[in-house]
Structure formats: structure tokens, C-alpha cells
Amino acid sequence: MKKILISGFEPFGGSAINPTERLINDIKNESFADAEIRTVLLPVHYDECAELLLKEVVRTFEPDAVIACGVAGGRTAVTPERIAINTKDVPPESVIADNRGARPQDEPIDPEGPDGLFATLPIRAMVNRMKEAGIPAAVSNTAGTYICNNTMYAVLNEIRKRQLPILAGFVHFPASTEMALEKPGLPTLSQDTMLRALKVIVRTTIDELTE
């Protein structure tokens, strides 16, 4: 039986809602006969997000795959990320810091790490299957420079350094309809649609692992 670790984030940026928190709670109620699902809620803190995921979960659970999830307000589709870059940066004009007020600029995540690391999850197959299921989906070529990118890079970097046989990557979800009540005008997907998308993502990952 394969082991899949799925992470989501707490709310941030003044919002009371992060749809990925609800997603990781809901996915635990889904049955995958050939996989064990473990979930973890991450803090929106630079570096601590990755430390929790890596030290307290990856190293104890020893998953076959890590699917990290986050929200990207403004996107209109579910977007698996292709690459994470070795940068922590909050633009001066941004009003959003992390949940402890940190606003790093032009800082490396790992001063000795590569400039970028590619996802090893089957992102194209995920997108194709989501589209076949009628779910808006696209491959994204930028995970940004905020906590989501920090988490994705740190996980892939740990796997690289320890030469672990783990597939890993990051998926951004649009704002939920509930979030739009707080911030009108955001493109949204329903929570049910996002859960369907996550189930497709998990199923595609399991299939990749068992081929």
C-alpha cells in the first residue's frame, strides 16, 4: 500500500478561511483502497512551514508521495506547479507578510541549494485528468516567492539531498466561494469542485506510483 502525505495551510492575509485547510480535512473521509492518506496543516510562516512538514511528518511517515496544497487568490483553475525557485521574497508593495509579520526580500531558501527544483509529481497527467472530469486545470510555471514556493522548494530540496524515492510537488487552488464573501471579486471554485480535483490528483499520483 502506498503512503500519500497531503498538506494544507492555515488562513493568512487577514482571511478567516483557507480552502486547503478544509480540503485536507475532507480528503481524510475519502477511501483509497490502495493508499494510506496522511494530512498535515502547516503554519503560514517562512521556513517553519517546511520544518514541520519535513521533520515532523516526512521523516516519521516516510511517504511515497507528498502533495502540498495552497490557495492562490485570483487564479481561475487548479494549477499544479512545475518548478520552485530558491527565493524568499515579499515585494515592497505587497500588503501581505507571513503570519508572524516576516517580510524577507531577495533571500535564498537554501544558500547552498540549486536555483530551482522541478516537481516530480505527474503534473501533466493530473491536469489532463482534471480537464476530462470537467474541472478547470492548468500547469503553472510559477509558484511565486511566498510560503507556497518556500514549502515546495524545501521539500524537493530535502528529497534531493537525501536521495529519497519520494514524488513531490505543489498544487495551487483558487479561492473558494466562501473566501469570495470576504474578498468580493475573486474568481472562485466551489469547495466540492476542489475536493473532486484533489481526489483526481491523489488517484493520478497513486497510479504513477504503481505503474
Side-chain angles (χ1 to χ4, degrees), residues 21-80:
E21 180 176 6
R22 182 171 166 189
L23 276 178
I24 64 170
N25 288 329
D26 290 344
I27 199 69
K28 289 186 291 188
N29 297 321
E30 301 295 329
S31 176
F32 297 91
D34 46 357
E36 177 185 356
I37 305 297
R38 178 80 60 87
T39 64
V40 58
L41 182 67
L42 302 179
V44 180
H45 303 152
Y46 277 102
D47 298 327
E48 185 180 342
C49 58
E51 287 298 306
L52 174 64
L53 185 58
L54 292 170
K55 289 187 176 179
E56 296 187 23
V57 186
V58 170
R59 295 176 187 175
T60 55
F61 183 50
E62 297 182 338
D64 297 290
V66 178
I67 303 169
C69 302
V71 62
R75 293 194 186 182
T76 58
V78 180
T79 49

Side-chain angles (χ1 to χ4, degrees), residues 149-203:
N149 175 77
N150 198 111
T151 303
M152 180 181 176
Y153 183 92
V155 170
L156 290 169
N157 197 35
E158 175 82 354
I159 291 168
R160 176 191 68 86
K161 289 191 290 187
R162 295 177 59 202
Q163 298 184 321
L164 298 172
I166 299 175
L167 300 182
F170 197 97
V171 182
H172 269 120
F173 290 82
S176 63
T177 49
E178 290 86 352
M179 284 185 70
L181 297 176
E182 297 180 330
K183 300 177 180 180
L186 283 177
T188 64
L189 282 181
S190 71
Q191 197 74 38
D192 287 346
T193 299
M194 289 193 277
L195 180 59
R196 286 201 299 121
L198 183 55
K199 289 164 64 176
V200 171
I201 288 164
V202 172
R203 182 72 261 166

Side-chain angles (χ1 to χ4, degrees), residues 73-123:
R75 293 194 186 182
T76 58
V78 180
T79 49
E81 298 293 343
R82 189 189 301 277
I83 189 170
I85 61 173
N86 190 7
T87 301
K88 294 184 283 187
D89 184 73
V90 177
E93 65 274 13
S94 175
V95 298
I96 298 178
D98 78 4
N99 280 357
R100 288 183 175 171
R103 298 178 58 90
Q105 289 189 340
D106 306 321
E107 294 182 16
I109 297 167
D110 179 354
E112 298 180 356
D115 293 338
L117 290 166
F118 286 96
T120 52
L121 293 173
I123 60 173

